[in-house]
Amino acid sequence: MSSFTLVSNKVNSLHGEIEVPGDKSISHRTVILSMLSEGQTVIENYLSSEDIFRTIEVSRILGADIHLKNEIMEVYGKGLGKLVDPKKILNFGNSGTSIRLFMGILAAQKFDSVLTGDRSLRKRPMERVAKPLRAMGANLETNNGNPPVKIKGTNKLNNLRYKLDIPSAQIKSAILLASLFTNGKTVIETDTDTRDHTEIMLKDFSSQIEVDEKTISIVGGELVSPEYIYVPGDLSSASFLILAGLISKDSELKIKNVGLNPTRMGFIEIMKLMNADIQINTDKTFNTNEKIGSIVVRSSNLKGIEVPKRLIASAIDEMPLVFIAAACAEGYTSIKNAKELRYKESDRIKAMVNNLTSLSIEINEYDDGARIKGGTIRGTNLDSFDDHRVAMACLLASCRSETPVTVKNCLNINTSFPTFKEIMNSIGMNIHEA
Ligand code: S3P
């Protein structure tokens, strides 16, 4: 994995009308909820990436019949009570979302299971998910907090009232999935909005779920498939195009058919506060409560800001891009309250501090963020630190550098955005293998 190096050359202007592949978070949930409901679900525009293939593989091991043909996925689920004992270790590769959501499902089964992943995933915290599941009566053991996670079978989980102390959609989703296997009502209290794709899709699958400003209540019981799901383009992938358009000169890009879920709009809001020229148009949607639309971006003179705390959770996956935006902006940008970045595919604060320093940008590291002074980027050799989003964000530095930016260890891009290089080159970037 470590040898795959990408070189990104100096950029002139960027132009084009593009679509990005389907949303990763939504794609995981379409497979999982289809597996847990009875009968056929047809899924269009799902993301074909390594992380989604892990969710598909584990769903197949647990008994779902899944066919992939001509970019359409058909899932034949068996219903809640009929998952199959895997009888082998379940490997989730690099996918934090998959392992954590499946912890919720597997904690509620009669059979035992063992869940593990790759080098990066085996360093990520799992106790945050194990803790509420234990409070429901599940029997889980982590390896000093990390995978492998060993789950002992149970006959029944209890209902729970749980206050989310970490703003995490994965913890919330694991509890919601476990709750499906209970008889009564589970309530989650939360102060911070995190992505709500699980809640939206559970409604699409006719679950008894109610959401108000600070609580989510769910009553366990069978799901009914909506039979067809369209996955919108991934706003997190679109964000690479958005930033590239903003920081390159004389550029204009239109990104179509992209998800505009309000709990994911933090990056766009941060860019607007930094003086970005971004226009959003919402399309009419059918058969789901997910918002879809188009985004137009034009070259902008970005200005440094103090990133508001309220926008961190809804921009959490885009924060490496905020570091790059800050390096291209006039003045100082301060990022605080973002300690969660240390628990992603890499320690994203450390990775971005290292890489921006190598790119000749002045940056001070905080425990929960960094202070970055905009300046002149000088392209050089960087590392992805085993992290797809660090790799892709850093390759964009070439939009503002006279010399090429080289990032080693880039195969991980396939976990979330396998067509990144092709799509970026189609708008005028020049990224190639070393
Ligand atoms: C995700 C939730 C987020 C995000 C991850 C995808 C999801 O993680 O960073 O890439 O699909 O639920 P947390 O919920 O742990 O913050």
Side-chain angles (χ1 to χ4, degrees), residues 41-250:
T41 309
V42 173
I43 303 164
E44 197 179 336
N45 202 41
Y46 68 93
L47 174 66
S48 254
S49 82
E50 291 297 331
D51 278 9
I52 303 306
F53 293 142
R54 294 300 175 155
T55 286
I56 292 175
E57 187 187 304
V58 173
S59 301
R60 280 181 173 143
I61 294 171
L62 294 175
D65 193 9
I66 302 181
H67 302 268
L68 307 177
K69 48 182 178 190
N70 305 331
E71 295 171 20
I72 300 277
M73 175 161 25
E74 287 172 10
V75 182
Y76 297 85
K78 291 193 171 144
L80 289 181
K82 297 188 188 133
L83 297 188
V84 175
D85 182 345
K87 293 205 171 82
K88 61 177 176 184
I89 295 175
L90 299 169
N91 185 348
F92 291 89
N94 192 250
S95 182
T97 305
S98 311
I99 194 170
R100 293 195 177 118
L101 268 52
F102 274 95
M103 278 170 73
I105 295 167
L106 293 165
Q109 305 309 312
K110 289 198 173 66
F111 49 78
D112 300 349
S113 41
V114 181
L115 298 73
T116 192
D118 70 6
R119 179 172 71 175
S120 150
L121 192 64
R122 287 198 309 276
K123 287 189 210 144
R124 297 185 64 188
M126 296 297 141
E127 275 300 321
R128 47 177 58 198
V129 184
K131 199 173 109 191
L133 295 174
R134 278 189 205 112
M136 297 177 84
N139 188 341
L140 301 93
E141 228 181 75
T142 63
N143 179 25
N144 287 325
N146 307 124
V149 179
K150 293 182 181 158
I151 303 179
K152 285 252 170 285
T154 176
N155 277 325
K156 196 176 155 301
L157 291 188
N158 314 313
N159 291 110
L160 183 68
R161 184 169 191 106
Y162 192 76
K163 172 132 180 51
L164 269 189
D165 47 1
I166 301 172
S168 161
Q170 294 175 352
I171 305 175
K172 176 175 71 173
S173 301
I175 301 169
L176 290 172
L177 291 170
S179 308
L180 293 174
F181 297 87
T182 65
N183 292 324
K185 189 196 250 186
T186 291
V187 180
I188 303 173
E189 296 170 15
T190 166
D191 287 337
T192 312
D193 282 348
T194 54
R195 64 191 68 199
D196 60 357
H197 305 301
T198 308
E199 296 90 305
I200 289 178
M201 203 175 294
L202 279 166
K203 270 192 198 135
D204 293 342
F205 276 77
S206 304
S207 168
Q208 291 183 58
I209 178 165
E210 277 168 32
V211 181
D212 65 32
E213 225 181 276
K214 292 221 166 354
T215 57
I216 305 161
S217 319
I218 182 164
V219 177
E222 291 294 339
L223 300 175
V224 182
S225 167
E227 293 174 17
Y228 171 81
I229 302 171
Y230 180 83
V231 181
D234 196 325
L235 184 56
S236 295
S237 300
S239 299
F240 296 102
L241 294 148
I242 294 172
L243 186 70
L246 293 175
I247 62 175
S248 302
K249 60 176 189 317
D250 304 326

